Amino acid sequence: MKLWGGRFSYASSKSMRAFCDSIGFDRRLQLVDVRASMAYAHALQRCGCISVAERDALLGGLERIRQELKDGQFAFNEDDEDIHTAVERRLTELIGPVAGKLHTGRSRNDQVATDLRLYLMEQIPCLDEALSALQLAVVDTARQHLDVLMPGYTHLQPAQPLLFSHWLMSFFWRFQRDRERLADARKRTAVMPLGSGAIAGHPFGLERRQLARELGFDAPAQNSVDAVSDRDFVVEVLAWATLVQVHLSGLAEDLIIWSSREFGFVTLDERLTTGSSLMPQKRNPDVLELIRAKTGRLGGDLLAMLTVLKGLPSGYSKDLQEDKEALFDALDTLAAELPLATEVVRTLRVNGVRMAAALDAGMLSTDLADYLVRKGVPFRESHRIVGTAVRLAEKRGVQLSDLDLAQYQRIDDRFEQDLQEVFDFQASVDRRSALGGTARSAVEAQISQALQLLRAEGGSG
Amino acid sequence: MKLWGGRFSYASSKSMRAFCDSIGFDRRLQLVDVRASMAYAHALQRCGCISVAERDALLGGLERIRQELKDGQFAFNEDDEDIHTAVERRLTELIGPVAGKLHTGRSRNDQVATDLRLYLMEQIPCLDEALSALQLAVVDTARQHLDVLMPGYTHLQPAQPLLFSHWLMSFFWRFQRDRERLADARKRTAVMPLGSGAIAGHPFGLERRQLARELGFDAPAQNSVDAVSDRDFVVEVLAWATLVQVHLSGLAEDLIIWSSREFGFVTLDERLTTGSSLMPQKRNPDVLELIRAKTGRLGGDLLAMLTVLKGLPSGYSKDLQEDKEALFDALDTLAAELPLATEVVRTLRVNGVRMAAALDAGMLSTDLADYLVRKGVPFRESHRIVGTAVRLAEKRGVQLSDLDLAQYQRIDDRFEQDLQEVFDFQASVDRRSALGGTARSAVEAQISQALQLLRAEGGSG
Amino acid sequence: MKLWGGRFSYASSKSMRAFCDSIGFDRRLQLVDVRASMAYAHALQRCGCISVAERDALLGGLERIRQELKDGQFAFNEDDEDIHTAVERRLTELIGPVAGKLHTGRSRNDQVATDLRLYLMEQIPCLDEALSALQLAVVDTARQHLDVLMPGYTHLQPAQPLLFSHWLMSFFWRFQRDRERLADARKRTAVMPLGSGAIAGHPFGLERRQLARELGFDAPAQNSVDAVSDRDFVVEVLAWATLVQVHLSGLAEDLIIWSSREFGFVTLDERLTTGSSLMPQKRNPDVLELIRAKTGRLGGDLLAMLTVLKGLPSGYSKDLQEDKEALFDALDTLAAELPLATEVVRTLRVNGVRMAAALDAGMLSTDLADYLVRKGVPFRESHRIVGTAVRLAEKRGVQLSDLDLAQYQRIDDRFEQDLQEVFDFQASVDRRSALGGTARSAVEAQISQALQLLRAEGGSG
Amino acid sequence: MKLWGGRFSYASSKSMRAFCDSIGFDRRLQLVDVRASMAYAHALQRCGCISVAERDALLGGLERIRQELKDGQFAFNEDDEDIHTAVERRLTELIGPVAGKLHTGRSRNDQVATDLRLYLMEQIPCLDEALSALQLAVVDTARQHLDVLMPGYTHLQPAQPLLFSHWLMSFFWRFQRDRERLADARKRTAVMPLGSGAIAGHPFGLERRQLARELGFDAPAQNSVDAVSDRDFVVEVLAWATLVQVHLSGLAEDLIIWSSREFGFVTLDERLTTGSSLMPQKRNPDVLELIRAKTGRLGGDLLAMLTVLKGLPSGYSKDLQEDKEALFDALDTLAAELPLATEVVRTLRVNGVRMAAALDAGMLSTDLADYLVRKGVPFRESHRIVGTAVRLAEKRGVQLSDLDLAQYQRIDDRFEQDLQEVFDFQASVDRRSALGGTARSAVEAQISQALQLLRAEGGSG
């Protein structure tokens, strides 16, 4: 069944149908399509377009379709070009010509935009929950390892000692921003196009505010031309998803490098690694590699949508049909990935001994400079002095802490007996106690703050 | 001057310097760099790192640098690899070794991230204002043309009659969403990295909340590892900018097509068109074409940043230096473009006569179907009936309104004498009076709503 | 069956399997996988790894698998993580432990790269053929309309008269470049990884040159580290596909605008348009809009792959598994789209009368300037003179050709009696007879050249 | 000076000029612009458009401009909107009205496309040379370290022993493909648009074949509509550049990881590292990180251009002006980067001792399986047997080579006395002597082959 055949003398070609039809990927809108239609039937009756009896006939038929869909009993026809057509076709089979009243004042343009938003509004709380589950895994794992020291890296070169938990908590905040962005994107998703018709608005005085409320939207769209073609919410969710992916790729990269034999800081749970078809000894972090790689996929989805929208004339164009596969791909990817990332974090074996062994006195150079600062030396000067010590130690092939006081004093006479106190990794960490620092006290405060955020939020839905 | 030379025995190569230095593009951070340093000097004194006298020396030197920068008197050295180095070098020249105290507990990692955020926090209100000026031009132009009817298009095919003002107002809402997104992005920009050091936090008990307040941030960053490498705000602003561009490209596309000789709906102000080096008669919409094209540029900036961030290990990496050119390019593009778009809208000549002439009875087909709906015919059936009429008119080479009642009645006997009332474009428009529709009353309500929003907002800053 | 289970104590989790397995999309490699294995069995025997009897056992089993796959009788197991595993599992069922000899010296790393290249080498001639079919449609349609004049546009503003066929032939050359690029990409696809093992090469003296020849490759890869992770050919084909798409989107855009009611230059075959669910009169160029939109999709695939590859360490990483879906999506899109584009061109109704009516004298301004050039006036001066005439005509609301000689002579006295000869569209076209110009003679030469190219090429495969 | 002012009554606004003018970035086309104009003057004379004296006047003026440009004496005006205007303006100053004859039959549309191609044709041999210099550095470094063994990695996990030189040579082939692609792209760059006018071709019978030859093009463009808007060559070069970048990013990633303290396989020359403003001990691989990051930038340039071209109508549109900055940015980036990458490779300190120490017996698991294969055990079975041994060794906390024969025989009785011969890294490497493998003999053959390629190629220009 086609919804638009009246004026046409020919059937469209089969290859064109295959190219244009969306039934292959828009079936997942089936339940929201029925839900939107039920609410619309109520609204049509309220504005006098249909009678109570007609409304009830429509509702009865739609309810039956809903059941069929839920039970997997709904039979799709070869001619159903999209989910809206399929539902209307079935409704006609079930309740006869009165089914034809449901499309009064409605176009697929406003219908599909409404469906897609409703679908997304259902997905957003799930995604938010998956993100918060990952955050909780981060917090739990961080709490369990508060006594583990590790090298902090910049440029992948040893920089300063860190608490392992401090490193891990850095991801909590990335995901927290992701959740805030998701909540923001939701605001612009929860705007209802229904009642905009094809482009010009609704000709039967539909009360759109009530309809919006009933469907769970925050408000109806304010301009019908905009409403039928606005896909900002798709772009916004894709940009959000890509940024989540960027964060996940960072976590994956850290863990891939740290689970290399050379670093050996963490061991992935065996269940989350795979072997090699050729090399019997291999244990590969495939999951993490795929997580890293999916960033390309989601960035591609984002770019695809932006390119589609570039230079598109106002009013609905078929180009917009490309919104769905990109969006679904991104949602599905994250839905599969977030629980795996959570599992990775939860089952991570942290090799504190290897981490401790990787600390070296060079990482305390800044502390050494700070030692001089405390004695009144301007930092820039102390930085230079310590640079000289570093060079000396390197030349001698020893650690900074292996130079003796005399050697230090030959470099600068403000080095004193208390110098040795600098070479204490735990003390170095604990000095960074300002808000956001790696000191245990600061990390504990971070964790408290994080738990409070996790508790406070009922999700962004 | 290099800030990090102590341990190095060789100077870096010239080509490496040219490749790595950022002074070529980060100069625009100069004033925020000084501002951040002044606030930092205060904070260092408050936490006991420096004395009041030292602080005052620093402030005096920084103030003088600020003046030099403002007056264009600041002399950059060939050796200044970035703006931070240049300022510290000059400070040393001005006040001697005490200048070296300013970097206490600070790294360029937290410094540059702080500067970039401060810079952006200054730009955001300007961008918001440029957007609202464009919105105001839209509203003003819409108000002046409330009596202009035009064809509404979907698929670039005539769909239904619209008020020109309704079409134009559709852009108001796109830019309104852009402004909301900008305000949302600002929240995540206004988070202060300063006090995070290179990666591990501040070792001298810096009070970061007060410092954040003084610099106009909403809050300090909660985790130093995250703080030095978080570029989410850059991505978010680039995604925002690309979406603004998408909207501008849509406006440009509409106007390019409508100012074609064949449509002739609008005429661009001559000052906003250009001629041809070969063809003397040409008047080309170059501005609009460039606006359309810039979508590629900004999407490219967005993608560039996302690609840089993909799979980057935690902690600062030099890769992050690529954030600035992409961001500045996007900001500059919009800063140049938005006033031009505003000028285009304000000076647009609307050719109401051409628009009216382009209305044809076929665009009332939906109204014709609705006519039958009002007589109780289910919409789907009436759609088919009207389709038959359309085909008949086409076959006879006449307009729908040229078929006589008898012909209509041969198609369906529910057509009656009152049929002719359908063929009234103004009435068609006015029937779409539901919220968001094209009826004059609905458009006036839209405009009121828009003006209220413009008045209410003191900007997103 | 897993190919790598030996050292593992646990089964991998179900969600991990769902995330990591590629069987969902790599089944289309099934026949090339079997083909590559058969050739590999021969090569193993030749280098003495297996006996002739073992080889024949392998070949027998593989042949049966090939039949099963062809007949749709091959039963996949839930445990088949990819197509290679499935085939080896089935081979073991069919011929017992000797099946385990097939993987000697082979890794899935070199195997999958080989399969993907073989698959692509099969697709490339099909794509080339689809492109040349489109070219032929272009040429045929161009030949049939050699007498149709139309306005040529730059900036969507009327520029100069053109032959319709000249415009159409402009696409021939775009697709010609696409075919050349495809042939170039093929060269880098037809390089065989097989015999590279996991990363280090083949330990049993495999003769790779002969094997390459037998499989239809041009040559074996020269370095095993490169061979297992080289996905340049995927990027190159995706970049190629995106550029094809850009060309198709340009054709679509032209035809969408020209089939608008306002231009009315072409009419799409009804079978290639669709209607509206709400507006009975609509006939929408959905196919063309989707063709235009797919540019986003393919650009997204390209970007996805580039992002995956960015910063990837040497040697195979699981990230590379993301190559397949992007590539297949691009190939499938073009395979569906090119025949439709061909159909669009072949069935296009060219409205020569509308095109002729759209020619106006302003489009001859350059000819008018050239007229003066022929009288010795420097072009830049004649351009200015004609500009004055254009302004005068515009002011009077008449066409350039409506100004009389006296008026022209008041502007410049070098205008003479023969001026009227300028105002002849056909003559204007015919003057542009230099190679590549729009004169009929030049277009006919173009078409000859095109036909020669089409005949000469036996495809890029 | 504007080339198109005749019909306009107003000057364009300053902000519009700033937005539309290209003089800010197209100056680098100055010399090719003059060169093309000189050849065009000759061609105009040959087809009778201008006299010999006029031609000589033009040539004289142009030659003087060329000198002024070379000497930096050319004075740009504020009104020069692009380089073509600037040159024509100056020519008029120098030789008077006859300068106006140069633009006869030429449009900026064909002129700018010609200039851009000529510019690129000059750059391509430089880029090719920079690539081959990098290749030579790779070969030289590989030759010097033929006795260095290292672990080969897949999934960043130890896989099999490799020659360091084999790993390094893997990059030779990537750059070789890049050079082939560049040569392919050159073919499509070397096609001359000049003589296509604005869109319709040349009206004065210009002989374009000879003109093309004189300018170094392979051929004139075959269709004027295509010629003025074809930017395929820009896309192709940007795609090429992005892929070069992907290869460089892979090299950078390998070296960043390998120069980490934990791997310690290589040490970057100090001159190619930088320090930290805070941490005196740091030596950061900034150059490599920026090289890695530039992949985003070039991918962004590519995407920008693709997006600009998507859905662009035929004939020149101003959108195309966005081609230049993207292209120049990509060329400049590579021009700066390739010599640095070459320097990195040439000055790399290879720590063979650390590499040797990182070899462990687990990396010989495949060799162990192959040992059984040589005794007739099917590989799949031997893979499983070795997996069991790996597990046993892991359980006991020893290396595979530490298990004694008895233990092996308890696993499988086909293990025999000669087992110990397996545990020899050099032997493992040398077994992989098939073409493309890591055996010294195969790597030496690779290097010979590479040197031959380097010698054979006179560049792609």
Side-chain angles (χ1 to χ4, degrees), chain C residues 7 88 254 314 394 435, chain D residues 7 208 254 314 380 394:
Chain C
R7 75 166 288 197
E88 187 172 334
D254 279 354
S314 281
E394 202 168 68
L435 189 158
Chain D
R7 74 164 292 196
R208 296 178 64 225
D254 278 354
S314 280
R380 188 56 62 216
E394 202 168 69

Side-chain angles (χ1 to χ4, degrees), chain B residues 254-268:
Chain B
D254 279 354
L255 293 179
I256 288 169
I257 293 176
W258 294 3
S259 64
S260 71
R261 194 194 44 179
E262 284 70 14
F263 277 77
F265 290 174
V266 295
T267 309
L268 295 178

Side-chain angles (χ1 to χ4, degrees), chain C residues 223-404:
Chain C
N223 180 297
S224 61
V225 177
D226 177 40
V228 294
S229 60
D230 169 20
R231 294 298 185 275
D232 284 13
F233 68 103
V234 177
V235 171
E236 203 170 343
V237 168
L238 290 174
W240 165 82
T242 308
L243 209 33
V244 175
Q245 262 300 150
V246 163
H247 297 155
L248 291 171
S249 83
L251 179 62
E253 180 80 2
D254 279 354
L255 293 180
I256 288 169
I257 293 176
W258 294 2
S259 65
S260 71
R261 196 196 41 183
E262 284 71 12
F263 278 76
F265 290 173
V266 296
T267 309
L268 296 177
D269 188 276
E270 193 177 89
R271 266 164 283 211
L272 291 161
T273 63
T274 53
S276 155
S277 67
L278 183 66
M279 299 170 290
Q281 89 282 9
K282 291 300 292 282
R283 191 180 267 181
N284 295 324
D286 284 30
V287 172
L288 293 173
E289 290 171 297
L290 272 180
I291 286 177
R292 179 173 63 188
K294 297 286 181 189
T295 314
R297 187 183 194 103
L298 267 63
D301 290 329
L302 169 60
L303 160 66
M305 197 62 216
L306 286 168
T307 306
V308 165
L309 295 175
K310 176 243 165 181
L312 210 57
S314 281
Y316 185 85
S317 298
K318 186 73 166 180
D319 309 63
L320 295 174
Q321 181 171 297
E322 285 287 304
D323 57 356
K324 275 175 276 307
E325 284 166 288
L327 181 63
F328 297 160
D329 185 53
L331 299 178
D332 292 350
T333 300
L334 286 179
E337 212 177 357
L338 288 168
L340 279 171
T342 303
E343 208 178 330
V344 165
V345 171
R346 285 219 169 273
T347 61
L348 200 64
R349 240 177 41 229
V350 180
N351 308 333
V353 175
R354 284 294 297 270
M355 289 178 176
L359 295 167
D360 69 53
M363 301 177 71
L364 298 171
S365 302
T366 313
D367 295 85
L368 193 55
D370 290 345
Y371 164 89
L372 291 174
V373 163
R374 286 191 169 83
K375 299 197 181 287
V377 185
F379 178 77
R380 190 54 63 216
E381 189 186 346
S382 72
H383 182 282
R384 260 190 309 272
I385 294 166
V386 175
T388 309
V390 167
R391 230 167 39 202
L392 178 66
E394 202 168 68
K395 213 172 96 190
R396 310 223 159 179
V398 301
Q399 293 275 317
L400 263 190
S401 48
D402 297 332
L403 298 176
D404 61 25

Side-chain angles (χ1 to χ4, degrees), chain B residues 276 278-281, chain C residues 152 158-162 359-375 377 379 382-383 385-387 390 400 408 415 418-433 438-439, chain D residues 104-105 198-204:
Chain B
S276 156
L278 182 68
M279 300 170 288
Q281 88 284 10
Chain C
Q160 296 176 337
L162 287 185
L359 295 167
D360 69 53
M363 301 177 71
L364 298 171
S365 302
T366 313
D367 295 85
L368 193 55
D370 290 345
Y371 164 89
L372 291 174
V373 163
R374 286 191 169 83
K375 299 197 181 287
V377 185
F379 178 77
S382 72
H383 182 282
I385 294 166
V386 175
V390 167
L400 263 190
Y408 271 108
F415 284 113
D418 57 355
L419 173 65
Q420 278 312 312
E421 289 164 24
V422 168
F423 298 109
D424 176 334
F425 299 113
Q426 186 71 49
S428 162
V429 159
D430 283 336
R431 264 192 297 274
R432 277 134 186 104
S433 58
T438 194
Chain D
T104 312
I199 178 169
H202 202 278
F204 296 101

Side-chain angles (χ1 to χ4, degrees), chain C residues 17-129:
Chain C
R17 285 288 313 275
F19 187 65
C20 292
D21 288 2
S22 56
I23 190 71
F25 49 83
D26 68 9
R27 282 195 201 185
R28 69 168 80 189
L29 301 178
Q30 54 194 22
L31 288 176
V32 288
D33 190 76
V34 172
R35 181 149 71 86
S37 283
M38 291 175 88
Y40 190 63
H42 279 290
L44 281 179
Q45 185 272 324
R46 281 197 299 265
C47 71
C49 274
I50 58 175
S51 68
V52 169
E54 287 167 337
R55 180 198 66 190
D56 291 344
L58 290 170
L59 292 175
L62 287 165
E63 177 55 33
R64 184 145 158 219
I65 290 172
R66 210 173 62 80
Q67 275 309 331
E68 291 180 355
L69 287 167
K70 284 205 158 174
D71 304 344
Q73 300 299 316
F74 188 97
F76 286 92
N77 269 11
E78 205 183 290
D79 273 355
D80 297 337
E81 60 181 280
D82 55 29
I83 185 63
H84 326 296
T85 309
V87 168
E88 187 172 334
R89 187 255 313 148
R90 180 66 184 136
L91 190 62
T92 308
E93 290 167 7
L94 288 172
I95 63 169
V98 68
K101 298 217 160 187
L102 184 60
H103 214 65
T104 312
R106 189 170 73 170
S107 162
R108 279 184 300 181
N109 296 357
D110 58 343
Q111 188 179 3
V112 68
T114 302
D115 286 3
L116 193 59
R117 286 170 183 264
L118 283 174
Y119 176 77
L120 194 50
M121 285 156 71
E122 287 180 0
Q123 297 301 306
I124 284 174
C126 306
L127 290 162
D128 185 66
E129 203 179 300

Side-chain angles (χ1 to χ4, degrees), chain B residues 392 396 402-412 415:
Chain B
L392 178 65
R396 311 222 159 180
D402 296 332
L403 299 176
D404 63 25
L405 182 56
Q407 289 172 310
Y408 272 108
Q409 286 177 336
R410 265 196 297 279
I411 294 170
D412 193 282
F415 285 113

